[in-house]
């Protein structure tokens, strides 16, 4: 008898994956991937990165009642700015949104792309249809910004991934007002001899748990045929998130299925958000091979266990 395909990773892929492909998009585009979810009452919203046929990205919105079957709206919700300061730095698209509920609204950190390189931008929304751009909150050479869902010690806190000297580590920074950021420290670096030996970056906005802040991040290993992107986890101290309490030894999701291995960028699983259900099930949404959008689930306690002991 053939062995079951599920169960090789801590995260279990939904049997109906991919959740969304090009065929589900009601307008012409190249691909859909890297989406961030929120739950508004009983409804799931997914803010999606859609890449247009010219290769630049923008955001569309999908809706669902069960977190698995999504309908994509006909009109995209956010395009790269064409004027003002954002117009200069979004000329080559907006990418990888990450939504955080805070102060009674949603903040979305995303990557603004231009000929100067990637910068982190911050926007605000209540309904995911109208967005107020707040600020460009990093210089170029930075991406993977995620905002914590509450202030810690009276300050806003974010993780990001500046690419100093080509080494991609996850950093932590603080802000009084969401505009000016500082007190930056390196938090998690690539580990020689591990699956995340080449680069790491924040993926999912930190999740508060009784064991610490859970950060679901991506780790990259360079191979002779290019990079492999996997999903891993770390726990940060609740009061002082610049302290790493635990970090997984092995990844919790690795590219294995064809839709994760074959696409515009092969061998990529890249999460941008997760929903923790009341029963402790974590639904993690991830882009696969930069060509479709998928979901995988795991119990929060299992994720913590693998982070601490895996
Ligand atoms: C990262 C980002 C993601 C992408 C991933 C894999 O650096 O650009 O948008 O999914 O690479 O190509």
């Amino acid at each position: 008898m053939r062995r079951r395909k599920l169960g090789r990773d801590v995260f279990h892929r939904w049997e109906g994956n991919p959740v969304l492909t090009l065929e589900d998009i009601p307008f012409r585009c190249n691909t859909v991937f890297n989406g961030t979810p929120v739950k508004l009452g009983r409804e799931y919203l997914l803010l999606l990165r859609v890449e247009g046929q010219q290769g630049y990205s923008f955001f569309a919105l999908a809706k669902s009642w069960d977190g698995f079957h999504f309908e994509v709206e006909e009109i995209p919700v956010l395009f790269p700015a064409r004027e003002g300061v954002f117009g200069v730095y979004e000329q080559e698209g907006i990418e990888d949104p990450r939504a955080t509920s805070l102060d009674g609204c949603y903040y979305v950190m995303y990557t603004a792309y231009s000929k100067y390189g990637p910068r982190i931008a911050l926007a605000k929304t209540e309904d995911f249809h109208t967005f107020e751009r707040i600020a460009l909150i990093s210089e170029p050479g930075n991406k993977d910004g995620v905002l914590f869902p509450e202030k810690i010690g009276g300050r806003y806190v974010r993780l990001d991934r500046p690419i100093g000297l080509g080494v991609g580590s996850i950093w932590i920074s603080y802000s009084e007002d969401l505009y000016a950021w500082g007190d930056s420290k390196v938090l998690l670096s690539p580990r020689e001899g591990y699956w995340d030996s080449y680069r790491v970056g924040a993926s999912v906005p930190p999740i508060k748990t009784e064991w610490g802040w859970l950060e679901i991040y991506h780790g990259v290993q360079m191979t002779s045929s290019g990079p492999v992107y996997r999903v891993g986890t770390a726990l940060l101290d609740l009061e002082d998130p610049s302290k790493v309490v635990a970090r997984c030894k092995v990844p919790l999701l690795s590219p294995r299925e064809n839709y994760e291995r074959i696409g515009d960028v092969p061998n990529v699983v890249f999460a941008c958000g997760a929903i923790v259900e009341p029963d402790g099930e974590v639904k993690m949404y991830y882009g696969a091979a930069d060509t479709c959008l998928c979901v995988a689930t795991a119990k929060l306690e299992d994720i913590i266990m693998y982070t601490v002991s895996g």
Side-chain angles (χ1 to χ4, degrees):
M1 209 175 83
R2 261 194 94 205
R3 292 176 67 186
R4 271 164 62 85
K5 280 202 285 179
L6 298 177
R8 294 166 300 177
D9 294 296
V10 176
F11 273 97
H12 299 279
R13 293 164 179 82
W14 179 46
E15 294 77 3
N17 270 349
V19 172
L20 293 170
T21 70
L22 182 61
E23 275 68 46
D24 302 299
I25 307 296
F27 45 84
R28 256 181 236 291
C29 60
N30 182 42
T31 48
V32 54
F33 56 113
N34 299 359
T36 191
V38 300
K39 207 170 166 186
L40 284 184
R42 283 184 45 244
E43 195 172 38
Y44 296 79
L45 303 185
L46 251 181
L47 186 64
L48 300 163
R49 172 177 175 188
V50 174
E51 193 183 86
Q53 288 183 319
Q54 80 291 58
Y56 298 153
S57 296
F58 53 90
F59 299 156
L61 191 68
K63 292 185 170 175
S64 165
W65 292 109
D66 66 1
F68 297 102
H69 302 86
F70 282 85
E71 194 74 28
V72 182
E73 290 187 356
E74 303 227 338
I75 302 174
V77 291
L78 194 68
F79 286 108
R82 285 288 164 248
E83 49 195 36
V85 66
F86 284 89
V88 176
Y89 300 107
E90 295 185 359
Q91 265 172 12
E92 295 181 7
I94 51 177
E95 304 182 355
D96 303 348
R98 272 101 170 190
T100 298
S101 169
L102 176 64
D103 294 344
C105 67
Y106 291 96
Y107 289 98
V108 179
M109 283 197 179
Y110 62 93
T111 305
Y113 231 106
S114 71
K115 62 182 176 188
Y116 305 105
R119 296 183 71 177
I120 300 173
L122 180 67
K124 185 177 172 178
T125 185
E126 282 177 17
D127 57 7
F128 287 85
H129 286 102
T130 45
F131 292 81
E132 181 195 332
R133 284 177 167 85
I134 296 178
L136 288 144
I137 53 171
S138 82
E139 291 173 331
N142 205 339
K143 52 162 66 172
D144 300 325
V146 295
L147 182 62
F148 282 67
E150 58 186 65
K151 287 180 166 179
I152 303 170
R155 295 187 294 177
Y156 295 101
V157 189
R158 84 175 195 218
L159 305 179
D160 62 12
R161 212 287 300 280
I163 196 88
L165 292 177
V167 178
S169 294
I170 300 174
W171 287 59
I172 189 164
S173 299
Y174 302 85
S175 173
E176 306 273 340
D177 58 5
L178 289 172
Y179 287 79
W181 293 83
D183 200 8
S184 307
K185 298 180 196 88
V186 68
L187 188 68
L188 295 163
S189 284
R191 295 177 290 189
E192 208 177 313
Y194 280 78
W195 60 277
D196 52 3
S197 57
Y198 182 64
R199 275 180 189 167
V200 293
S203 270
V204 173
I207 297 168
K208 193 173 194 181
T209 76
E210 59 186 281
W211 305 277
W213 291 104
L214 172 66
E215 174 52 24
I216 301 179
Y217 70 94
H218 58 272
V220 188
Q221 183 176 22
M222 193 48 90
T223 75
S224 47
S225 64
V228 178
Y229 281 72
R230 300 186 174 98
V231 170
T233 50
L235 271 178
L236 313 177
D237 186 82
L238 279 182
E239 265 113 65
D240 178 1
S242 71
K243 286 192 190 136
V244 179
V245 177
R247 183 172 176 182
C248 68
K249 292 196 181 63
V250 295
L252 282 75
L253 186 73
S254 301
R256 301 184 195 285
E257 299 294 332
N258 281 346
Y259 52 79
E260 298 162 343
R261 292 206 177 271
I262 302 164
D264 282 1
V265 183
N267 298 314
V268 173
V269 291
F270 192 92
C272 282
I275 300 286
V276 184
E277 302 290 6
D279 66 358
E281 180 194 62
V282 177
K283 289 191 176 79
M284 180 180 72
Y285 295 85
Y286 65 99
D290 283 9
T291 300
C292 59
L293 188 283
C294 297
V295 63
T297 62
K299 285 202 202 113
L300 183 60
E301 290 196 0
D302 288 347
I303 298 174
I304 301 293
M305 203 183 78
Y306 275 88
T307 309
V308 174
S309 65

